[in-house]
């Protein structure tokens, strides 16, 4: 697995774990809303999908990585907060890392000789 793909998969695993912990926190907290818990659970799944896809060498994995990084990049554009900066950085990384030649060749799978 090329380095950029490995790092991207690790980042999405970390994000999935963080969103899963946020889901649990919202469910356990007395003031936590069910809507926030559902949102965090959806983001945990959205971040776990590209991590699993990249580690499984699936051809759809780059598209699955663009979705949560794009969502994080546009999450708070109205207030342009820290989550927007993280999202924009993640989106830039994903676009660069998964479009590098080594990553594209690796995700395309083994070539069969003709």
């Amino acid at each position: 697995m090329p380095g950029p793909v490995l790092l991207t998969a690790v980042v999405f695993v970390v994000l999935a774990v963080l969103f899963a912990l946020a889901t649990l926190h919202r469910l356990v907290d007395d003031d936590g809303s069910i809507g926030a818990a559902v949102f965090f659970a959806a983001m945990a799944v959205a971040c776990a999908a590209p991590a699993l896809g990249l580690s499984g060498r699936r051809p759809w994995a780059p598209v699955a990585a663009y979705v949560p990084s794009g969502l994080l990049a546009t999450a708070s554009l109205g207030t342009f907060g820290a989550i927007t900066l993280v999202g924009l950085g993640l989106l830039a990384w994903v676009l660069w890392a998964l479009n590098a030649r080594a990553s594209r060749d690796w995700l395309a799978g083994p070539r069969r000789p003709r």
Side-chain angles (χ1 to χ4, degrees):
M1 180 182 289
V5 175
L6 178 64
L7 188 59
T8 304
V10 168
V11 166
F12 278 111
V13 166
V14 169
L15 284 172
V17 168
L18 289 174
F19 279 119
L21 289 174
T23 302
L24 289 174
H25 179 266
R26 284 296 172 184
L27 289 174
V28 172
D29 190 18
D30 290 338
D31 296 332
S33 69
I34 194 73
V38 168
F39 170 75
F40 287 138
M43 286 302 292
V45 170
C47 288
L52 292 172
L54 289 170
S55 64
R57 204 175 187 175
R58 304 286 185 237
W60 49 263
V63 176
Y66 299 146
V67 172
S69 58
L71 286 172
L72 286 173
T74 60
S76 61
L77 277 177
T79 58
F80 201 73
I83 188 101
T84 306
L85 293 176
V86 169
L88 288 173
L90 179 64
L91 182 61
W93 170 262
V94 166
L95 288 172
W96 174 82
L98 299 183
N99 286 311
R101 183 171 181 85
S103 300
R104 284 184 287 134
D105 290 345
W106 186 80
L107 286 168
R111 304 271 189 238
R112 287 182 253 194
R114 294 183 179 195

